[in-house]
Amino acid sequence: MMSKAFYMAARNLSDSGLDNVPDEFVSSKHLIYSSPATLAFNSPGAQGFGVKRAGLAVPGSVMLLVAPGCCGRNTTMLSEMGGYSDRFFYLLLDDTDIVTGRHLTKIPEAVKEVCEACEKKPSAVMICITCVDALLGTDMERVCRKSTDYADVPVVPCYMYALTREGRLPPMAAVRRSVYSLLTPTKRKSNAVNILGHFAPLFDNCEIYPLLKSAGIADIREISRCESYEEYLKMSQANFNLVVNQESRYAADFFEKELGIPSIEITRMYRIDKISNQYRLLGQTIGEELDDKKYYNETAEIINDFKNKFGKLSFSIGEISNADPFELALSLVEYGFDVDEIFGTVGAVNFNYIRKLAELSPNTKIYSNTSPTMLYYNDEDCNPDIVIGKDAMYYHQSKPAVAWSSESQPFGYAGVKALFGEMSSALKNNRTAGEI
Amino acid sequence: MKNLLKLLSPFAPDQSGAVSVIYELGGLIVICDAGGCAGNVCGFDEPRWFTKKSAIFSAGLRDMDAILGRDDKLIAKLKTASSQVKCDFTALIGTPVPAVIATDFRALKNMAQKSIGLPCLTVEANGTAYYDEGEESAYLELFKDFAVETRETDDSLAGVIGVTPLEFSRIDANTEIESTIKQYGFSKVVCYGMGSTLEDVKNSSAAKINYVVSPSAITAAEYLNKKFGTPYEIISPYIPDSVTDENEYKDCKKILVIHQQISANGVRNIIEKISSAQVDVASWFMMKKELMRSGDFKLTDEEQLIKRVSKAGYDCVIADNNITRALRGYKCKKVDYIHFAVSGRMEK
């Protein structure tokens, strides 16, 4: 009987190679432990943006969840959030529906009734379907076309198929495609750009905005900043897209194929040398130099000040945050800090970070939040000075902490500066995880 | 349209009810889903999840597991987990995925018991029923599987069936109810599933009487009565003060109470002592005929609620605010009677 949480040191995990990581790190090979630290894994909609809330990114839209009642249960919580209580509707399936699929014939009428119940006719009705329809093999595109004709409103499917979470098209990638599917080809503008990736905007003070403006780009659009449906439709004018989250690749494909708009992918990172390099490459791609020296120097100074003030701190880093925990850990190690432990999901992309961590910090412990053995995680086995991420906070309630999971998204130097600012504040005020 | 919710949001489902009954009993609980149901149960319907650890897992089913019906893979995962986590039994809880692919839970139970060597409790929830049906099945399975031995009656011991946070909207509902029942002359009171252990369940045949406090508990109480001869009595031991304020009802002539049936009946009994109003009871959940009076009714959908309330002309509705939201176009006094299974709100 194991009475300790399973972990591997970075060096050992790196040595094992991506193809031979232990089963504890492969979610399909074990039961998924359900703890407060894994809420975002099991139920992305319960916190932040899951499929249901994300589907409502289209301004003026409403959502009809077509599913057994259980799938809409946590939406009660969403409905209590500002602006959502009048945007969710439910067509509940009974036990006959889930076996025969007879509910599909009711959807057009339900869409019509939903539109009639709204004070103002919605710009679109997003139909959210779940595992039941995944298994029934429902052709929801066809049902949506029929509903569009019947109710005279655009109707779009959103697939909340948890069963396909690790498949070719996970639900959060599919919904990123769904929310742009109402765009139609229009005349392009050479000075317009879309930022794709999140359902909330990048930090207002992110340097990417002035840098793009300096390159002559006048209109920078993000779906979350579109205040009206008309503004949203202007996203099809873009000359190109900047994809800041890999889960938007499928949406970017749609832009390319259906609207002829190409995309450039950039990544959120916390290593300022890499951020600088990324801006240099972006500038080369769009044919304009992006002068980021000022931002680089400001950020480097903030990091140095932090180091001088707090010394060689040790960190515990979780994955429920606006960062790849392995990249963030690598950044902190490169800045001269210690990372005692990381809670993360090992994958092809971040395995490169693990390899580099193995060289610089071979003894860093790497845990998988979803392993059943996490039931026995003991916070006394690790004594970090500060923790980052909601999951790490759950494990270390008494430590100074930064949740780092705001809805508005950190990116580039602005993200690094804000993180160090929040860490400084947490340490100065001894603001612990338990208090947050 | 029937089953279309335009103003309400979905209530706690059967899998949440099943988990709430066995949450504290030391089992290794597996919700047979892809992840979302486990997230809903733990993150929303189980308030103890944030304060009291329990070995709850998602089966992490993926499309090919469901399409190919890989029960053996699930049992293998369960076996591995049972070697890593201390548990007295295993439990498999259904969701829509096994319902669609017609999983044979009886076969799963046999496979699990044979493979792991521990009792396996199964509840064939499907996510379309409400929490009370899940609770009912879980109580029955629990007593069938573990209350197997006839023990000598202990006159100082009373059992209570039907106490869960979903029913009573309090994380300490058991302590409140235990202290009420101790006033009946029992020194030992056990609320099965809340503040109790699996050993208490095994010892349930020793109880002098079982008190039933929720409709979902009646079937289990009847079972224990049949198997061990333990009598049972239906009581309503806890009503929040906020719904029994005499001043609220002095001008009311016709009142509707909406909650789980036994609690709603308890509220009616109190109001009838302090007011001359006619009080009817309605519920979205189980309405046992033997506990209904003329004028009581079962709620089936949003439109029916609106029609019944307007037609009867109630001048006061006592219900969770999430339900009275559907009555926002109907003018009457509305008293908030929190029901966690409806709104996910706790009393405190």
Side-chain angles (χ1 to χ4, degrees):
Chain A
M1 183 74 58
M2 197 174 283
S3 58
K4 287 192 92 162
F6 178 87
Y7 70 87
M8 274 185 99
R11 176 181 40 208
N12 297 341
L13 186 55
S14 173
D15 288 348
S16 73
L18 181 60
D19 295 334
N20 294 306
V21 298
D23 286 356
E24 277 79 2
F25 288 107
V26 184
S27 63
S28 61
K29 292 191 175 172
H30 57 75
L31 297 176
I32 308 293
Y33 176 42
S34 211
S35 80
T38 57
L39 183 57
F41 178 87
N42 275 333
S43 185
Q47 290 179 342
F49 285 91
V51 170
K52 283 177 272 189
R53 194 172 164 215
L56 288 174
V58 177
S61 62
V62 298
M63 178 167 281
L64 176 63
L65 177 69
V66 179
C70 63
C71 304
R73 176 63 176 153
N74 67 5
T75 316
T76 306
M77 196 153 55
L78 273 181
S79 296
E80 286 163 7
M81 295 169 76
Y84 286 100
S85 61
D86 296 321
R87 296 182 71 189
F88 278 112
F89 300 87
Y90 310 88
L91 180 60
L92 302 183
L93 310 190
D94 59 30
D95 45 5
T96 306
D97 294 330
I98 67 173
V99 177
T100 63
R102 68 174 178 181
H103 59 285
L104 300 175
T105 59
K106 301 177 198 166
I107 292 175
E109 183 58 35
V111 169
K112 197 173 180 190
E113 277 198 38
V114 164
C115 290
E116 286 165 1
C118 295
E119 267 184 35
K120 188 181 163 202
K121 188 175 178 181
S123 60
V125 177
M126 317 299 284
I127 306 269
C128 182
I129 52 174
T130 64
C131 298
V132 167
D133 281 289
L135 292 171
L136 291 174
T138 299
D139 180 356
M140 191 46 75
E141 300 275 351
R142 192 182 68 81
V143 176
C144 286
R145 282 196 299 274
K146 203 171 169 190
S147 303
T148 298
D149 292 342
Y150 186 76
D152 192 26
V153 65
V155 182
V156 178
C158 292
Y159 302 99
M160 195 165 72
Y161 290 173
L163 285 166
T164 61
R165 192 197 304 270
E166 286 100 11
R168 191 180 57 80
L169 186 57
M172 289 312 293
V175 73
R176 282 175 163 86
R177 156 81 168 73
S178 295
V179 297
Y180 295 112
S181 64
L182 291 162
L183 299 177
T184 50
T186 188
K187 195 172 175 217
R188 304 254 299 278
K189 286 174 70 177
S190 60
N191 62 353
V193 166
N194 297 323
I195 296 177
L196 311 183
H198 301 292
F199 299 98
L202 303 184
F203 284 177
D204 288 340
N205 65 349
C206 183
E207 70 285 347
I208 199 165
Y209 301 116
L211 287 175
L212 289 173
K213 297 254 174 190
S214 73
I217 291 162
D219 297 327
I220 304 168
R221 292 197 173 85
E222 292 162 272
I223 194 166
S224 52
R225 289 190 193 270
C226 293
E227 288 183 359
S228 67
Y229 188 63
E230 290 69 33
E231 177 71 17
Y232 156 80
L233 291 176
K234 287 181 184 168
M235 292 187 85
S236 56
Q237 295 174 350
N239 190 29
F240 65 93
N241 295 317
L242 279 179
V243 174
V244 297
N245 181 328
Q246 289 176 2
E247 285 189 318
S248 284
R249 282 179 184 167
Y250 183 57
D253 279 351
F254 163 78
F255 272 91
E256 176 96 44
K257 284 178 189 150
E258 302 295 327
L259 308 173
I261 300 174
S263 296
I264 301 167
E265 188 168 320
I266 52 179
T267 306
R268 172 161 55 204
M269 292 178 288
Y270 288 86
R271 288 167 296 164
I272 57 173
D273 290 340
K274 298 288 177 191
I275 295 171
S276 179
N277 197 37
Q278 182 163 263
Y279 280 129
R280 187 178 56 76
L281 293 171
L282 176 61
Q284 284 173 3
T285 310
I286 62 174
E288 292 283 344
E289 192 188 343
L290 302 177
D291 183 4
D292 66 336
K293 271 194 209 81
K294 183 181 103 177
Y295 306 108
Y296 179 94
N297 291 337
E298 281 171 6
T299 314
E301 197 178 324
I302 286 171
I303 295 169
N304 273 332
D305 287 350
F306 181 89
K307 275 160 68 176
N308 292 337
K309 192 166 182 186
F310 296 106
K312 196 174 166 66
L313 298 171
S314 62
F315 286 78
S316 167
I317 298 175
E319 61 184 324
I320 314 295
S321 74
N322 290 324
D324 179 310
F326 299 105
E327 198 276 332
L328 179 56
L330 181 60
S331 311
L332 292 167
V333 168
E334 285 184 354
Y335 293 141
F337 300 105
D338 289 331
V339 174
D340 292 342
E341 60 180 10
I342 303 168
F343 305 97
T345 304
V346 176
V349 174
N350 56 29
F351 205 77
N352 286 328
Y353 302 131
I354 293 170
R355 284 200 188 96
K356 285 177 190 156
L357 265 174
E359 291 168 17
L360 300 175
S361 180
N363 295 323
T364 296
K365 294 174 180 172
I366 298 173
Y367 292 89
S368 166
N369 272 319
T370 58
S371 163
T373 63
M374 289 303 283
L375 190 65
Y376 298 114
Y377 179 85
N378 184 352
D379 65 349
E380 289 173 5
D381 291 343
C382 181
N383 188 28
D385 296 310
I386 181 166
V387 300
I388 301 174
K390 282 189 169 178
D391 46 344
M393 285 166 61
Y394 167 71
Y395 295 120
H396 295 286
Q397 294 281 307
S398 63
K399 296 293 180 185
V402 174
W404 201 238
S405 52
S406 64
E407 291 199 339
S408 58
Q409 294 292 312
F411 191 84
Y413 299 114
V416 182
K417 284 194 275 189
L419 176 62
F420 277 87
E422 283 200 27
M423 291 195 299
S424 183
S425 165
L427 288 162
K428 205 164 74 183
N429 302 312
N430 195 26
R431 198 175 56 237
T432 63
E435 289 165 7
I436 299 169
Chain B
M1 178 185 284
K2 195 171 180 288
N3 290 343
L4 179 65
L5 301 184
K6 290 182 274 190
L7 296 161
L8 300 175
S9 47
F11 306 142
D14 46 0
Q15 61 260 42
S16 296
V19 171
S20 74
V21 169
I22 57 175
Y23 185 87
E24 297 183 22
L25 297 177
L28 191 163
I29 304 166
V30 180
I31 299 171
C32 300
D33 74 330
C37 294
N40 263 334
V41 169
C42 297
F44 195 80
D45 278 335
E46 187 43 80
R48 290 169 289 186
W49 189 61
F50 295 96
T51 55
K52 201 175 273 186
K53 272 191 183 176
S54 180
I56 299 183
F57 301 92
S58 161
L61 299 174
R62 293 296 170 257
D63 45 2
M64 293 314 284
D65 299 330
I67 291 163
L68 300 173
R70 293 169 173 164
D71 290 347
D72 51 340
K73 192 177 162 195
L74 173 60
I75 298 300
K77 285 182 181 179
L78 183 63
K79 190 175 182 184
T80 304
S82 69
S83 69
Q84 296 170 326
V85 172
K86 187 182 174 309
C87 58
D88 297 321
F89 66 98
T90 62
L92 296 168
I93 311 296
T95 71
V97 171
V100 172
I101 62 171
T103 296
D104 182 347
F105 273 86
R106 203 159 19 159
L108 270 183
K109 183 182 179 108
N110 289 335
M111 284 166 73
Q113 290 183 159
K114 202 172 165 190
S115 169
I116 297 159
L118 287 173
C120 178
L121 181 151
T122 56
V123 178
E124 211 165 327
N126 66 18
T128 66
Y130 292 141
Y131 78 99
D132 52 340
E133 289 189 34
E135 286 185 354
E136 181 179 58
S137 301
Y139 279 125
L140 193 58
E141 290 301 310
L142 188 63
F143 288 114
K144 275 186 178 173
D145 284 358
F146 296 104
V148 289
E149 201 181 303
T150 305
R151 298 188 181 173
E152 196 180 331
T153 303
D154 178 351
D155 287 343
S156 64
L157 174 66
V160 186
I161 316 175
V163 188
T164 68
L166 286 162
E167 299 280 9
F168 289 94
S169 316
R170 285 181 64 150
I171 207 159
D172 60 349
N174 57 308
T175 51
E176 190 81 24
I177 289 168
E178 279 165 24
S179 66
T180 302
I181 290 173
K182 278 184 179 167
Q183 290 167 20
Y184 302 170
F186 295 97
S187 59
K188 289 177 266 177
V189 179
V190 173
C191 292
Y192 297 111
M194 227 179 150
S196 60
T197 64
L198 190 64
E199 191 48 47
D200 290 320
V201 176
K202 290 178 181 171
N203 191 45
S204 57
S205 61
K208 188 179 181 196
I209 185 170
N210 284 318
Y211 288 105
V212 169
V213 296
S214 305
S216 64
I218 293 175
T219 312
E222 282 170 349
Y223 170 79
L224 292 171
N225 176 252
K226 217 170 186 180
K227 185 162 174 75
F228 302 113
T230 316
Y232 71 90
E233 189 181 327
I234 295 169
I235 61 165
S236 180
Y238 173 73
I239 303 292
D241 294 340
S242 58
V243 296
T244 55
D245 179 356
E246 193 173 347
N247 295 325
E248 288 277 9
Y249 311 116
K250 62 183 176 193
D251 298 325
C252 298
K253 294 193 167 47
K254 204 167 181 190
I255 298 171
L256 179 66
V257 189
I258 303 174
H259 208 276
Q260 56 103 325
Q261 189 186 19
I262 292 175
S263 289
N265 280 349
V267 172
R268 167 160 60 194
N269 292 340
I270 293 172
I271 294 177
E272 284 179 343
K273 286 177 192 156
I274 57 176
S275 154
S276 58
Q278 176 192 323
V279 187
D280 296 334
V281 161
S283 183
W284 299 95
F285 310 109
M286 289 175 184
M287 285 290 277
K288 299 286 183 184
K289 270 192 185 151
E290 61 274 25
L291 303 177
M292 284 173 82
R293 280 202 211 158
S294 143
D296 293 356
F297 58 98
K298 177 157 172 65
L299 290 160
T300 54
D301 62 74
E302 205 173 280
E303 282 181 17
Q304 178 236 14
L305 164 71
I306 297 164
K307 276 185 194 157
R308 290 290 299 249
V309 169
S310 350
K311 196 175 169 195
Y314 292 105
D315 50 17
C316 176
V317 175
I318 304 169
D320 190 289
N321 277 346
N322 269 35
I323 289 173
T324 49
R325 186 170 182 263
L327 298 170
R328 62 188 177 186
Y330 179 76
K331 210 172 166 194
C332 72
K333 182 188 278 274
K334 287 153 190 160
V335 176
D336 186 19
Y337 184 6
I338 293 175
H339 192 175
F340 189 83
V342 169
S343 61
R345 291 183 300 145
M346 299 291 284
E347 268 184 43
K348 57 175 183 178

